[in-house]
Amino acid sequence: MSDKSNGKVSQNDKKRLSSPDVETPMKRVKTEDGDDSKPAEYNKYLAHWETGDGGWDSKYKGNGSGFSDRLPKGSPLAHFERRKTTAKQAFEAENGDNNPFTGEPHSQQYFNILKSRRNLPVHKQRQEFLDLYQKSQILVFVGETGSGKTTQIPQYVVYDELPHLSRKLVACTQPRRVAAMSVAQRVADELDVTLGEEVGYSIRFEDKTSSKTMLKYMTDGMLLREAMHDHDMSRYSCIILDEAHERTLATDILMALLKQITRRRPDLKLIVMSATLDAQKFQRYFYDAPLLAVPGRTFPVEIFYTPEPEKDYVEGAIRTVLQIHAGEDEGDILLFLTGEEEIEDTCRKISLEVDELVRETDCGPMTVYPLYGTLPPHQQQKIFDLAPPPLKKGGRPGRKCIVSTNIAETSLTIDGIVYVVDPGFSKQKIYNPRLRVESLLVSPISKASAQQRAGRAGRTKPGKCFRLYTEKAFKEELIEQTYPEILRSNLANTVLELKKLGVVDLVHFDLMDPPAPETMMRALEELNYLRCLDDEGELTALGGLASEFPLDPSLAVMLISSPEFYCSNEMLSITALLSVPQIFVRPAQKRREADEMKNLFKHNDGDHLTMLNVYHAFKGVLNRGEDARTWCHKHYLSFRHLSSADNVRAQLKRIMETQGLRLVSTDFNDKNYYINIRRALVTGFFMQVAKKEKDRVYRTLKDNSQQVMLHPSTVLQTEYDWVLYNEFVMTSKHYIRTVTGIKPEWLLELAPAYYDIDSWDGQKDVKLALKAVADKMRRRAAMKGGH
DNA sequence: GATAGCGCT
């Protein structure tokens, strides 16, 4: 709020970054590159400034405000010139008996790993990398799978950035938490340091860094969060955006932000790492930055197309898997499908067919595993089990077949896959700004995606990929790249973030792929109704507060308003429950039992309150020290998702406290206990309201009013004329899911701007109904006033 | 009367 960006690192930041117990020379000196705006700590001639005090520690100590500027005695790095080092210097420093950063003797494991690191393709180009890195502020780096870029490049940077001199960190972003964690661990091992000390990671719910940390792996979303309070990213001397080709929302915003920041901060370096051949697009975007390409280490994959288009891709996929199993050499199979149900179904069918094949021919055995994101982790782990052995000695070898969603395209790597079956579809998010609805649609994949899938067959030896579409279709019908997420999303949250990031002119904010103006308009409009932006489009106090929460604006506004309704404790729980996957479990075979159990928690006013009942019961079980896992299982509830809601709730609660928002409840015996909660729901969801037309059929109000059905999962009976919903689901029909009954008076009272009757542009009968409600309210007020 | 791809704060 006060940290308006002025294009310079503030004096406060500099103080914070320098060591408090050492007087740092802050006088400005002319440096070689002619930039005289930097303090003396950048001057290479002062690099050894503190080496004469005789106070060397064998291990440098953190000082609580940025890592120490001290190097261990005899460290070869003492003679390095920042951003002027060579691969040879680094090579020799790495060969030393002692760790140049900690002074500790190197372990045997270190030297073993060092040997394998030097076999990575990227190692040969270390000097070439340094040459480009040193002469350019921005660098685009293309490395295919197996090049070692994610682990090696950040280390090369550290050896050249010399964080003890810059007193700034090197950051490397990842789209996924697991990647940030596992790569950080690997690199800590490679550098022979303890994870969380010199090398750390930072993800939601876990900050494993310390004052010693010089290299930090983090999720892209985490860096974006940090930037909200440090618009210049002044803690970092170099930022590496990894997996940029995935084009996540956060990466796209970070790219645009960093494109601006690098102009304000000439000392900040940026490396954009990508795996595709689409690198020219990144180069062009970043002012024709130099490009370095490193070959990967994969095996060739032979591609086969079907001669004719497939009528039914699932059936074609099953047939292909069986043909591979019957006729091809040893090696595991990976089949890409689109969703949980399709995958479970297909797994069953393949298993049955294989049983028959084994009975009738000399085929080996085959185990089939499903794989998708909502599968519990221990079941996901099963895909790494070895293929089954031959049925009898000397028989044909067994194999495993994994039937997976897109999760196996990027997030999970399975070694040993030799055959990939690619029907060419995946579920993709689509945003319809006219209806303000995000939905999932089975759509053809892109060429880049098809290549990525094929590549999964060549990780351990040459493989084969069977594409269930024609070569002509591949060439002429598939788009080059999947549309980036920013073009397929509701941008309300993104626009709020950008405002908080200090982006004033959204129209000219230089995104790599600017979204449709209509989508932008919708987001601004939504934020204005939520009072996060004022009529001039400026961030309001409420908007600033809302951006502090890792939530959609409607949920954040609801939570912030809840103390006024004396129910912030309850709204914390409801918000958390709405932020995690479905807590109700409904196995295909036991639907009736599951529904019966759900009824135990049923609240007549709707699903939000029913979920709250579940959460309270869950907490009761935890507090009594009972076995919550068993309790959940018995009640057809997801222990994992309820625990995760509990975790989210704790985080939201901390933010409430630091923002000075009161945590209050209405007395449970007060008749307003549930009314207060339902009224608080309206403050965030007044735009997601439907009015009853006939039994179980409702109609949404504004925004291309749609006829909708209550989702069959709702506990709500039909007594409510007005309902509020959390989600609009477009499948075979239009459904509203997670629904709670409300009173129309609350709409007029709590969202007067949106429910302004005179300017009403929605359904006429809704307008009349609202008018009648308004008249009734006026009469009531007049009567009250009359007494 | 039921159709949640993946991921992030």
Side-chain angles (χ1 to χ4, degrees), chain A residues 224-283:
Chain A
L224 201 56
R225 277 269 130 195
E226 278 189 8
M228 288 186 186
H229 294 105
D230 177 7
H231 291 179
D232 284 340
M233 306 203 196
S234 56
R235 300 176 61 197
Y236 303 99
S237 67
C238 175
I239 291 172
I240 304 166
L241 301 180
D242 199 3
E243 316 289 1
H245 61 279
E246 287 190 27
R247 304 291 307 275
T248 66
L249 249 169
T251 298
D252 267 19
I253 297 167
L254 282 172
M255 285 200 292
L257 277 179
L258 284 161
K259 192 173 173 178
Q260 285 185 348
I261 296 171
T262 48
R263 276 191 286 192
R264 298 202 290 270
R265 272 192 62 194
D267 61 305
L268 177 69
K269 297 254 188 190
L270 172 65
I271 302 175
V272 181
M273 301 208 291
S274 158
T276 53
L277 300 167
D278 199 33
Q280 283 90 355
K281 185 167 180 176
F282 290 96
Q283 255 188 305

Side-chain angles (χ1 to χ4, degrees), chain A residues 382-657:
Chain A
K382 283 193 186 158
I383 62 166
F384 297 108
D385 289 355
L386 288 177
L391 288 170
K392 49 179 184 260
K393 211 170 168 194
R396 289 179 62 185
R399 65 174 107 223
K400 64 181 171 185
C401 171
I402 294 156
V403 186
S404 171
T405 61
N406 253 3
I407 193 169
E409 198 179 296
T410 47
S411 314
L412 267 166
T413 308
I414 314 144
D415 282 328
I417 298 292
V418 181
Y419 306 100
V420 162
V421 180
D422 173 20
F425 293 95
S426 71
K427 272 193 191 170
Q428 286 167 33
K429 187 169 72 182
I430 311 276
Y431 178 60
N432 181 338
R434 276 181 46 234
L435 303 181
R436 282 185 209 264
V437 172
E438 278 180 355
S439 49
L440 283 171
L441 202 68
V442 174
S443 325
I445 60 170
S446 64
K447 285 196 182 95
S449 194
Q451 269 159 5
Q452 177 75 14
R453 287 180 173 191
R456 293 296 179 178
R459 291 187 54 84
T460 36
K461 61 179 186 176
K464 292 180 180 177
C465 174
F466 300 89
R467 291 182 173 158
L468 305 186
Y469 37 91
T470 62
E471 186 165 11
K472 190 166 184 280
F474 174 81
K475 284 187 176 146
E476 293 172 13
E477 288 165 34
L478 298 195
I479 55 171
E480 290 297 321
Q481 302 281 338
T482 311
Y483 290 115
E485 209 185 352
I486 200 162
L487 300 183
R488 300 184 281 118
S489 307
N490 174 349
L491 294 182
N493 203 10
T494 302
V495 167
L496 184 67
E497 275 171 9
L498 289 174
K499 285 284 175 186
K500 178 70 174 182
L501 285 159
V503 176
V504 183
D505 187 1
L506 285 177
V507 178
H508 296 106
F509 187 57
D510 190 8
L511 288 159
M512 191 178 252
D513 286 287
E518 196 182 355
T519 307
M520 217 59 163
M521 288 308 299
R522 280 301 202 179
L524 290 166
E525 189 188 54
E526 195 174 323
L527 289 166
N528 181 242
Y529 280 131
L530 284 167
R531 293 180 295 117
C532 287
L533 298 180
D534 63 22
D535 292 345
E536 274 68 53
E538 297 294 318
L539 196 65
T540 61
L542 177 62
L545 212 46
S547 69
E548 295 290 333
F549 289 88
L551 296 169
D552 272 345
S554 53
L555 283 170
V557 165
M558 175 176 100
L559 194 52
I560 294 164
S561 315
S562 62
E564 298 165 35
F565 298 86
Y566 310 103
C567 59
S568 42
N569 288 317
E570 288 73 17
M571 295 318 281
L572 269 173
S573 310
I574 291 177
T575 308
L577 290 161
L578 292 174
S579 312
V580 298
Q582 187 60 255
I583 56 167
F584 296 104
V585 179
R586 203 162 179 266
Q589 321 301 334
K590 296 182 178 167
R591 290 186 179 147
R592 207 172 43 85
E593 292 92 323
D595 291 347
E596 274 169 23
M597 282 301 178
K598 184 173 173 181
N599 260 331
L600 293 177
F601 303 101
K602 175 179 165 177
H603 190 292
N604 283 331
D605 289 334
D607 301 307
H608 295 87
L609 300 179
T610 302
M611 286 164 75
L612 185 65
N613 284 343
V614 170
Y615 181 73
H616 285 157
F618 175 71
K619 289 298 275 184
V621 170
L622 287 179
N623 290 337
R624 288 192 299 275
E626 295 168 16
D627 180 1
R629 203 179 280 274
T630 306
W631 181 84
C632 284
H633 190 74
K634 198 178 124 204
H635 290 89
Y636 291 90
L637 297 167
S638 164
F639 173 76
R640 214 154 47 93
H641 298 155
L642 275 168
S643 307
S644 149
D646 210 28
N647 209 0
V648 172
R649 188 185 189 282
Q651 187 194 24
L652 298 176
K653 181 167 171 257
R654 279 196 300 277
I655 300 174
M656 290 282 273
E657 284 162 350

Side-chain angles (χ1 to χ4, degrees), chain A residues 280-291:
Chain A
Q280 283 90 355
K281 185 167 180 176
F282 290 96
Q283 255 188 305
R284 274 199 306 276
Y285 177 69
F286 285 109
Y287 317 106
D288 296 313
L291 176 103

